[in-house]
Amino acid sequence: MCGIFGCTLKKGNAAPVIHAALKRLEYRGYDSVGEATILDGKLYVKKDRGKIDAVHELHDLDDLPGSIGIGHTRWATHGAPLQVNAHPHVDCGGRIAVIHNGIIENFADLRLELQNRGHVLKSKTDTEVIPHLIEDYLNKSHGLADAVLEAVKRLEGSYSIAAISTKEPDKIVCARNESPLVIGVAEEALYCASDVPALLPLTNKTVTVDNGELLTLSPQGFEIKKIRDSSVVTKKPKVSDWSPEMAVKGGYPHFMLKEIHEQPTTLRNTLRVQEHYLDLMATFLERAQEVYLMACGTSYHACLAASYMFSKLAFLGTHPVIASECVEQQGKSMGIDSTILAVSQSGETTDTLGAVMYARDRAATVLALTNVVDSTLTRISRVYVVQQSGPEIGVAATKTFTSQLSVLAQLALRVAKKRGKVSQDEMDYLADKLTELPDAVEAVIQTQDEKVRQIAKKYRDAKAFLFLGRGISTATAYEGGLKLMEIAYVPAIAFPAGESKHGPIGLVEPGFPVVFICPKDETHKTVIGNIMEMKARGGSIIALMEEGDEEIKKLADDYVEVPKGIGDVLSPILFVVPLQLLAYHMAVEKGYDPDMPRNLAKSVTVK
Ligand code: F6R
């Protein structure tokens, strides 16, 4: 996730306006920043790694001439946060500047093609191919809008881009596919931006650009065309009544809810993680003598789920380990034959880094999955994959958890393929299910949110909750319990359902809420047995189940339904969503701020 902004002013300098807007977009990404403007046929660019204030102090971002320009605040996906990788990117002739939010999947092919035609690309980003493609079309005497149109037809993936060129210095041309883009309309200016918050102090009149549309901002106004057939689309500005605070949260009352709702998009992004590194990682795992999956908190729950994925798909046994326990529990057994897969959203969690360093010192191979390029974890691992979730501001991990699961499932599939453990048909089946997941998650959020809110209301005063699941749903149960505990401060005990009769069942008395995770997999029948045990003691059963599962429905006091037919190793991605919503609504019901739970930090950098 990055932030993009552009403006064309009737009078005055664009640079300070861009700088101020980028500050409002900084929450979307903050590892590098850059601006480009045009005056008298010359393109001016300033960019560097670092937060906006630091870059401004070094380079004076307000000191660029001209009344038209674009700016970008970056959350690195392809290429480390370095000056050369910061946006805007320019073409060979230094006449075109482009900013981009999204991921270009076919950038490696395009890069090769451009290099073969003599283009010189300097960065490691996927974005840089875009100005060079535009350059080729401009050289074929297309106008800027047509050149951008032709260029984006070559792109596969997600993008929201803005381009300026000295050839038509009074225009900004933008295009959108999946990544957000809005226009701001004012008397004296036109703007484009990733989202409404960037625009609000400038104007409250906005127009949303939709997928597959090309936008031109010029002194004549704005024009939107369909990329597919160049047909003109007519749209009128709407007046936004969002306050700046609401706008930053995309209209949601809290970041956590916004991030829960972002999951269909972030899950789609995980289908575009860098294949090459995923494959390399799978090769290491396939050859490993023993594999440790290491993490803390929610990331540990992703590891736990992954251990079922590796076992079920690739027939590979792994040890999920809580990082803070790793040295004592497994330390002496780690060595040159050990492969560690460390999972950390932030890439900075001290316990995870400590365990990784320990394993490295014992000559183990370290692989990593993280959300932050250039985090410490990426620097101390042999191979890493970035999960592309964008910044997560709510302290409770939500969208980053489901993204971790999606990447780990893809990894398990690749290992399975290398080990010859799955047929092509099974591979294709699961790959299809992975692509169906974003829509299924969307359906859960759209159809079940209100139901979950009612459940939160009903059980608002419960003193404790029990979360139970079998098989891979054990990880879902743990995650549901952790979410409820950390933001609603309700004691939550999570167990594998089979273990419940070895202790936790002692808690259950009439009305005690027991949440069961019940996908229709091979655990279904046994879970029904566990539900019966709890019911016999008066427990109130809250069941998460697949649509139309009449057996479970009959037993449940309350139930939440998710779309049926998502493969069993993928079920945590779907079933955890109502649990995130439950924790969220419980916190709100109880009057707590879910974004800032007491005593917790987003990144835990102490032992
Ligand atoms: C829970 C949560 C924490 C983190 C844990 C690890 O919602 O966010 O439990 O999962 O602190 O953080 P990372 O993944 O950054 O290593």
Side-chain angles (χ1 to χ4, degrees), residues 305-314 405 408-409 412 472 569-570 572-573:
S307 68
Y308 291 83
M309 294 172 182
F310 283 120
S311 170
K312 286 184 154 203
L313 297 176
L405 292 173
L408 290 165
I472 199 166
V569 293
L570 301 180
I573 302 178

Side-chain angles (χ1 to χ4, degrees), residues 232-268:
V232 174
V233 182
T234 311
K235 292 187 187 179
K236 287 213 163 61
K238 288 193 190 124
V239 176
S240 165
D241 55 3
W242 285 358
S243 69
E245 207 226 332
M246 271 170 82
V248 169
K249 293 175 186 159
Y252 294 98
H254 299 100
F255 282 111
M256 183 180 175
L257 191 60
K258 174 172 183 263
E259 285 157 2
I260 291 172
H261 279 250
E262 273 170 17
Q263 289 178 113
T265 304
T266 47
L267 282 167
R268 276 182 202 109

Side-chain angles (χ1 to χ4, degrees), residues 92 110-111 114-115 119-123 125 128-129 132:
C92 296
L110 291 172
R111 195 181 167 89
L114 286 159
Q115 283 167 334
H119 286 266
V120 179
L121 284 86
K122 297 178 181 148
S123 77
T125 63
E128 200 184 358
V129 298
H132 290 272

Side-chain angles (χ1 to χ4, degrees), residues 284 335-336 338-341 359 363-367 382:
F284 275 110
I336 196 158
S338 314
T339 296
I340 314 296
L341 172 53
T365 302
V366 176
L367 315 174
R382 184 100 174 250

Side-chain angles (χ1 to χ4, degrees), residues 71 119 136 153 188 274 318 331 346 400 424 489 493 521 573:
H119 286 266
D136 276 356
K153 281 184 181 166
E188 298 294 312
Q274 285 178 292
T318 56
S346 62
T400 55
Q424 191 58 45
Y489 317 137
I493 300 118
D521 58 16
I573 302 178

Side-chain angles (χ1 to χ4, degrees), residues 399-444:
K399 63 175 180 171
T400 55
F401 176 64
T402 45
S403 291
Q404 286 168 344
L405 292 173
S406 170
V407 177
L408 290 165
Q410 292 175 62
L411 192 57
L413 265 179
R414 276 168 199 257
V415 179
K417 190 172 180 196
K418 285 185 194 291
R419 300 185 113 209
K421 299 295 185 191
V422 278
S423 68
Q424 191 58 45
D425 279 358
E426 279 175 282
M427 291 278 301
D428 292 347
Y429 176 78
L430 272 161
D432 283 352
K433 293 290 163 198
L434 267 166
T435 54
E436 285 170 23
L437 258 169
D439 287 343
V441 167
E442 178 88 62
V444 174

Side-chain angles (χ1 to χ4, degrees), residues 267-286:
L267 282 167
R268 276 182 202 109
N269 286 348
T270 62
L271 302 175
R272 305 188 174 111
V273 294
Q274 285 178 292
E275 300 243 336
H276 170 69
Y277 295 114
L278 208 54
D279 212 50
L280 199 56
M281 227 182 218
T283 306
F284 275 110
L285 289 170
E286 188 238 333

